[in-house]
Amino acid sequence: MIAPFDTAATLGVVPVIAIERSSDAVALADALLEGGLPLAEITFRTEAAAEVIAIMAEKRPELLVGAGTILTPDALRAAISAGARFGLAPGFDAEIVAAAKAKDFPFAPGIMTPSDLTAVSRNGLKLAKFFPAKAAGGPSMLEAISAPFAHLGTRFVPTGGVSLDNMHEWLKLGAVAAVGGTWIATKADIGEGRWADITAKARAAVARAKEIREVTR
């Protein structure tokens, strides 16, 4: 079994996607795969999310599809039932964390403060989303609040305000496993069927992450 968060850390980038129509699921999956990005976080910000995940899981099993914006236990159950391989949330909810652990479902809650990080560490989690990354203080803030927890091996996926142009500021931090990329497949790209553009942005993101990692090693 492929560990999805290990794959995310290897790639250095996770496309964070809100998709409105399930009919676009396969084309979107193909665009990402062609761009060398076999991973996607489909956010529960649209009514189509669960169906999109189910279609991708069935039709394109080579794509590691996960669920984002998991805000309730019901959303977690829906994600798992649809075939999601991992999940993330913008904040920390102890009930959701416990439910994910009970199902042995890879889950990364969101953090923004040392108190959030304390909750993550007390629950034995090793990966968290830092959200909203830019508004919360950027790389310097993440570096500062994560320092007391560094010996625990906690790593992060900063999301919100990350771009191709600034992803190096995040990936140069040893505690960052990958960045969340909302720019890779936007609602407008998907809605207008700009699959070649999504492929190009996916390829550029993967290449940039690899370049940054090679320089900072």
Side-chain angles (χ1 to χ4, degrees), residues 69-89:
T69 320
I70 295 179
L71 303 179
T72 66
D74 283 345
L76 178 69
R77 285 189 286 270
I80 294 172
S81 295
R85 304 278 292 279
F86 63 94
L88 303 99

Side-chain angles (χ1 to χ4, degrees), residues 6 10 15-16 52 60 70 75 79 81 85 105 108 113-114 123 129 135 155-156 158 161 166 168 181 200 204 216:
D6 288 345
T10 298
V16 180
V52 167
R60 295 296 183 269
I70 295 179
S81 295
R85 304 278 292 279
F105 180 68
T113 69
N123 280 272
K129 172 177 280 197
R155 303 193 76 193
F156 305 91
N166 68 21
H168 68 281
T216 56

Side-chain angles (χ1 to χ4, degrees), residues 109-121:
I111 65 97
M112 196 176 71
T113 69
S115 295
D116 294 336
L117 260 176
T118 298
V120 165
S121 65

Side-chain angles (χ1 to χ4, degrees), residues 139-165:
S140 61
M141 177 62 84
L142 177 58
E143 189 172 28
I145 67 171
S146 65
F149 302 87
H151 65 289
L152 300 177
T154 308
R155 303 193 76 193
F156 305 91
V157 181
T159 305
V162 182
S163 68
L164 185 69
D165 292 333

Side-chain angles (χ1 to χ4, degrees), residues 94-105:
E95 185 179 357
I96 295 173
V97 168
K101 289 176 73 173
K103 292 289 188 179
D104 198 25
F105 180 68

Side-chain angles (χ1 to χ4, degrees), residues 2-212:
I2 299 172
F5 289 144
D6 288 345
T7 298
T10 298
L11 292 167
V13 61
V14 178
V16 180
I17 303 167
I19 175 172
E20 300 282 0
R21 299 187 303 253
S22 60
S23 57
D24 290 326
V26 172
L28 172 60
D30 288 343
L32 294 171
L33 289 167
E34 188 176 345
L37 192 45
L39 186 79
E41 174 189 340
I42 304 300
T43 67
F44 270 68
R45 294 190 179 192
T46 70
E47 293 184 1
E51 188 175 358
V52 167
I53 290 169
I55 292 171
M56 287 181 167
E58 179 186 358
K59 302 293 186 182
R60 295 296 183 269
E62 64 269 39
L63 181 79
L64 284 171
V65 59
T69 320
I70 295 179
L71 303 179
T72 66
D74 283 345
L76 178 69
R77 285 189 286 270
I80 294 172
S81 295
R85 304 278 292 279
F86 63 94
L88 303 99
F92 184 93
D93 184 299
E95 185 179 357
I96 295 173
V97 168
K101 289 176 73 173
K103 292 289 188 179
D104 198 25
F105 180 68
F107 181 70
I111 65 97
M112 196 176 71
T113 69
S115 295
D116 294 336
L117 260 176
T118 298
V120 165
S121 65
R122 283 175 62 86
N123 280 272
L125 301 175
K126 295 298 183 182
L127 187 73
K129 172 177 280 197
F130 180 52
F131 179 86
K134 182 178 180 180
S140 61
M141 177 62 84
L142 177 58
E143 189 172 28
I145 67 171
S146 65
F149 302 87
H151 65 289
L152 300 177
T154 308
R155 303 193 76 193
F156 305 91
V157 181
T159 305
V162 182
S163 68
L164 185 69
D165 292 333
N166 68 21
M167 62 191 290
H168 68 281
E169 298 176 9
W170 296 100
L171 288 176
K172 70 181 182 182
L173 302 180
V176 170
V179 296
T182 58
W183 79 91
I184 295 170
T186 66
K187 277 188 178 183
D189 288 334
I190 298 168
E192 296 176 21
R194 297 197 290 257
W195 311 119
D197 289 348
I198 292 172
T199 292
K201 287 190 285 186
R203 185 175 291 118
V206 172
R208 181 63 177 138
K210 182 180 179 181
E211 177 184 15
I212 294 165

